[in-house]
């Protein structure tokens, strides 16, 4: 929430286009943190009899988990593609890399992901009924036997995270190649013009501007790679966890933990890589402390 507040003020030295994408990603990540760990994981362990386990509610929560996960992932892809266009497609840059385009992309991704994830809310049925109230969510038997559901699940897993994972990896490789080639060319020109290889302020600024992208993309790839490899392994071998001490069970939950962690790292990344973000964060902390002191000692 603090990151959303700081980025929305637009005082971090980033373009409006980049700010739009970062705010969209932060909102999606915040919703994912609320829906998955807080509304799904924690109640399952600590509040097993809460109203969250009424079948329509828990099926809606599961739908929100799938939808917000997909939005978070695809917005990371959209942000990476936007930076790819900026670096590698100069003619398209001025038309595509705008605040308006970013807003349209974020809105379109959110709507499409919600529509694509909607069927997940229909795969559950109640485990038992008490006083005409359905409780708990278990997957319908048809979900495991129906070819339509099998196709849908495969399509969803391909969309999240397999294709985005490899797209982000590919786009970053292409951008690194372009940046290295441009750096060598610019350094050669400066050497020929001045006879010396001085520091290039423009190249230094360019490197700083793409550091944020590469760290966000690298974090995404590292934290999702276990999930991607595990899913591909399961599809090939058809092996599933059978007990708590099964290595597959441990791997499955470790992959899930790392996936959720990927939605919490961006704020730390901003704080590490962006000087102006750190300055704004200090102002927010100081103002919060001021309000606390004022409340305690009126």
């Amino acid at each position: 929430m603090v990151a959303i507040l700081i980025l929305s003020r637009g005082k971090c030295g980033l373009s409006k286009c980049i700010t739009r994408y970062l705010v969209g990603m932060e909102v999606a990540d915040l919703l994912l943190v609320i829906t998955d760990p807080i509304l799904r994981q924690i109640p399952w362990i600590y509040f097993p009899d809460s109203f969250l386990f009424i079948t329509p509610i828990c099926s809606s929560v599961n739908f929100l988990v799938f939808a917000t996960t997909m939005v978070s992932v695809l917005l990371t892809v959209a942000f990476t593609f936007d930076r790819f266009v900026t670096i590698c497609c100069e003619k398209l840059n001025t038309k595509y890399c705008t605040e308006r385009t970013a807003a349209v992309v974020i809105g379109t991704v959110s709507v499409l992901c919600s529509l694509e994830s909607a069927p997940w809310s229909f795969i559950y049925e109640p485990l038992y009924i008490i006083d005409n109230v359905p409780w708990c969510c278990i997957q319908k038997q048809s979900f495991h036997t129906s070819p339509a559901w099998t196709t849908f699940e495969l399509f969803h897993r391909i969309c999240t995270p397999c294709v985005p994972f490899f797209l982000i990896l590919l786009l970053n490789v292409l951008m690194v190649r372009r940046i290295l080639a441009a750096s060598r060319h610019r350094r050669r020109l400066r050497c020929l013009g001045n006879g010396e290889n001085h520091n290039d302020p423009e190249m230094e600024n360019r490197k700083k501007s793409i550091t944020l992208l590469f760290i966000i993309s690298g974090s995404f790839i590292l934290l999702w790679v276990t999930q991607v490899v595990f899913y591909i392994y399961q599809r090939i071998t058809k092996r599933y966890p059978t007990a708590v001490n099964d290595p597959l069970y441990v791997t499955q939950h470790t992959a899930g933990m790392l996936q959720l962690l990927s939605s919490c790292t961006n704020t730390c990344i901003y704080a590490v890589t962006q000087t102006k973000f750190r300055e704004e964060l200090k102002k927010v902390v100081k103002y919060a402390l001021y309000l606390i002191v004022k409340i305690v000692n009126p």
Side-chain angles (χ1 to χ4, degrees), residues 226-227 229-256:
T226 306
Q227 185 79 283
V229 172
F230 179 77
Y231 175 72
I232 294 174
Y233 173 81
Q234 272 195 330
R235 297 298 301 184
I236 294 174
T237 63
K238 303 296 183 181
R239 290 187 59 197
Y240 297 91
T242 56
V244 175
N245 58 353
D246 188 338
L248 282 180
Y249 181 88
V250 177
T251 304
Q252 182 180 23
H253 284 268
T254 301

Side-chain angles (χ1 to χ4, degrees), residues 34-49:
I34 293 173
T35 55
D36 199 337
I38 297 177
L39 295 182
R40 188 170 72 163
Q41 304 288 352
I42 293 176
W44 181 261
I45 299 172
Y46 297 104
F47 309 103
D49 298 323

Side-chain angles (χ1 to χ4, degrees), residues 241-291:
T242 56
V244 175
N245 58 353
D246 188 338
L248 282 180
Y249 181 88
V250 177
T251 304
Q252 182 180 23
H253 284 268
T254 301
M257 179 190 69
L258 293 174
Q259 172 195 327
L260 288 174
L261 184 62
S262 69
S263 65
C264 308
T265 57
N266 286 346
T267 304
C268 298
I269 291 171
Y270 304 149
V272 170
T273 61
Q274 301 295 308
T275 303
K276 291 186 178 181
F277 182 89
R278 292 197 299 271
E279 293 173 355
E280 292 296 315
L281 182 59
K282 290 177 183 177
K283 292 179 183 178
V284 171
V285 172
K286 289 179 180 178
Y287 183 70
L289 292 175
Y290 168 76
L291 288 180

